[in-house]
Amino acid sequence: MDSLPNNIPDCTFFFLAKAHQKAHSLLKKRLIQYGLTNMQHLILEGLWYQEGATAAELGKLLILDKATLSGIIDRLDEGGWIEKRLDKNDKRSFRLYPSEKANVIKDELIDVRKKGNDLLLADFTMEEKIIFKRLLRTLFLKR
Amino acid sequence: MDSLPNNIPDCTFFFLAKAHQKAHSLLKKRLIQYGLTNMQHLILEGLWYQEGATAAELGKLLILDKATLSGIIDRLDEGGWIEKRLDKNDKRSFRLYPSEKANVIKDELIDVRKKGNDLLLADFTMEEKIIFKRLLRTLFLKR
DNA sequence: AAAAACTCCTTTGTATACGAACAAATAATT
DNA sequence: AATTATTTGTTCGTATACAAAGGAGTTTTT
């Protein structure tokens, strides 16, 4: 029998949670100075990637629950990071655009994320980085 | 120039968040029938692994914030999953033990987690599983 | 032994997550 | 066209996360 029958250290759920925790923390530290949370930053990049998207479209792109998105969009709006424009064809929804305030530091914000990424995987070889991302992608795209 | 200059799909932060989201969701579905959340289940396994641990010790073992732990332990206690016994040597803390109710389905609960793990990585080859876990571990143990 | 430093846990405030229920609007069906 | 089904976004309730501050107990210093 195993000396560690209930070996939590070999639990992928645990590993994933902790790796995510670490990554989240790393980026959070670099975004705090802008007054942005990780999720707010992600939505903003999503909008730069797809300007004028609706909340529903963003939810699909970023795999986010609509209830969660609702709150994040509210806070981005309150913070002056985005603009909500009513959709003329669909009175239920509105189109979202990064604000001028956001656009001014767009490159800087994206760079923070990119450099954070590099730092996060700094100890991996190029091959490991590629494999790692492939496996993560396989995992979350599953089914 | 890249056709996807702000390529969110190549962001490890995003991948990790989504892989974790998927894993969390998978286990959550299997624990809901017991009335346990993923985190409550993790704490419980931690206690089986280290009975009589204090909240501080659990925090170190599972890399959890003490404030977060406080609430989870409360709910585990309210649900009758654990027992809190005052520490005789240190009046600030208490020792935690899985309750009889928890012990009765211990093997079953651990099996849910193990089978969930297997399912999560079902599409990976044995080699990929090992590499994946090694990389995740390297990542969250960093620094 | 008294003061200072430290540790344990709780509480508060803010920000995700997400299921469930809802109102309003739009699309599909009959 | 009227009914039904679906979609969009909000709100509510519960459960993490975690920084920050506070109270009580312990340990270390002086």
Side-chain angles (χ1 to χ4, degrees):
Chain A
M1 317 331 172
D2 196 340
S3 65
L4 294 175
N6 311 325
N7 200 345
I8 293 179
D10 192 30
C11 176
T12 306
F13 291 124
F14 181 71
F15 285 4
L16 263 174
K18 293 308 145 186
H20 170 249
Q21 184 183 46
K22 170 79 81 174
H24 186 272
S25 166
L26 190 158
L27 185 57
K28 181 180 181 180
K29 281 185 180 61
R30 290 164 172 66
L31 287 178
I32 188 76
Q33 58 180 310
Y34 298 98
L36 280 170
T37 65
N38 296 27
M39 209 43 59
Q40 289 166 9
H41 180 279
L42 178 65
I43 305 298
L44 214 41
E45 272 213 47
L47 280 182
W48 278 318
Y49 185 70
Q50 198 170 306
E51 292 200 23
T54 63
E57 289 166 354
L58 273 180
K60 269 167 203 154
L61 177 67
L62 305 176
I63 316 178
L64 284 172
D65 188 86
K66 60 189 174 185
T68 303
L69 248 178
S70 199
I72 301 174
I73 288 175
D74 274 353
R75 288 183 284 281
L76 275 172
D77 192 28
E78 286 163 16
W81 296 103
I82 62 172
E83 254 182 60
K84 296 165 82 164
R85 301 182 200 160
L86 286 175
D87 187 311
K88 299 200 163 70
N89 300 71
D90 190 335
K91 293 177 187 170
R92 290 169 303 182
S93 54
F94 37 76
R95 300 272 158 199
L96 303 173
Y97 297 87
S99 69
E100 192 46 35
K101 164 182 174 181
N103 285 328
V104 167
I105 54 172
K106 172 181 175 181
D107 292 343
E108 191 177 339
L109 283 178
I110 291 179
D111 207 51
V112 168
R113 193 265 297 162
K114 283 186 176 174
K115 286 206 165 56
N117 255 309
D118 292 343
L119 185 59
L120 185 67
L121 302 184
D123 297 338
F124 289 4
T125 66
M126 188 57 70
E127 194 193 2
E128 286 174 335
K129 291 177 189 179
I130 292 172
I131 293 178
F132 189 53
K133 286 188 276 193
R134 175 172 68 76
L135 296 180
L136 284 175
R137 187 180 229 138
T138 300
L139 217 173
F140 80 76
L141 289 180
K142 192 178 174 189
R143 280 187 223 300
Chain B
M1 314 317 184
D2 197 338
S3 64
L4 294 174
N6 311 325
N7 200 348
I8 292 178
D10 192 32
C11 175
T12 306
F13 291 124
F14 180 71
F15 285 4
L16 263 174
K18 293 308 144 185
H20 170 249
Q21 184 184 47
K22 170 80 80 175
H24 186 271
S25 165
L26 190 158
L27 186 55
K28 182 181 182 181
K29 281 185 180 62
R30 287 154 215 287
L31 287 178
I32 190 77
Q33 57 180 310
Y34 298 98
L36 280 170
T37 66
N38 297 28
M39 209 44 59
Q40 289 167 9
H41 180 279
L42 178 66
I43 304 298
L44 215 40
E45 272 213 50
L47 280 182
W48 278 318
Y49 185 70
Q50 197 171 306
E51 292 200 23
T54 63
E57 288 167 354
L58 274 180
K60 268 167 204 154
L61 177 67
L62 304 176
I63 316 178
L64 284 171
D65 188 87
K66 60 192 172 185
T68 302
L69 248 177
S70 200
I72 302 174
I73 288 175
D74 274 354
R75 288 182 285 280
L76 274 173
D77 193 28
E78 287 164 15
W81 296 103
I82 62 172
E83 254 182 62
K84 296 166 81 164
R85 300 181 200 160
L86 286 175
D87 187 311
K88 300 204 163 73
N89 299 71
D90 190 334
K91 293 176 186 170
R92 291 170 302 181
S93 54
F94 36 76
R95 300 273 159 197
L96 303 173
Y97 296 87
S99 69
E100 191 47 34
K101 164 183 173 181
N103 285 329
V104 167
I105 55 172
K106 173 181 176 182
D107 293 343
E108 192 177 337
L109 283 179
I110 291 178
D111 207 51
V112 168
R113 193 264 297 162
K114 284 185 176 175
K115 286 206 165 59
N117 256 308
D118 293 342
L119 185 60
L120 186 66
L121 302 183
D123 297 337
F124 289 3
T125 65
M126 187 57 68
E127 194 193 3
E128 286 174 334
K129 291 178 189 178
I130 293 173
I131 292 178
F132 189 53
K133 286 189 276 193
R134 175 172 67 75
L135 295 180
L136 284 175
R137 188 180 229 136
T138 300
L139 218 173
F140 80 76
L141 289 180
K142 192 179 177 191
R143 285 189 216 299

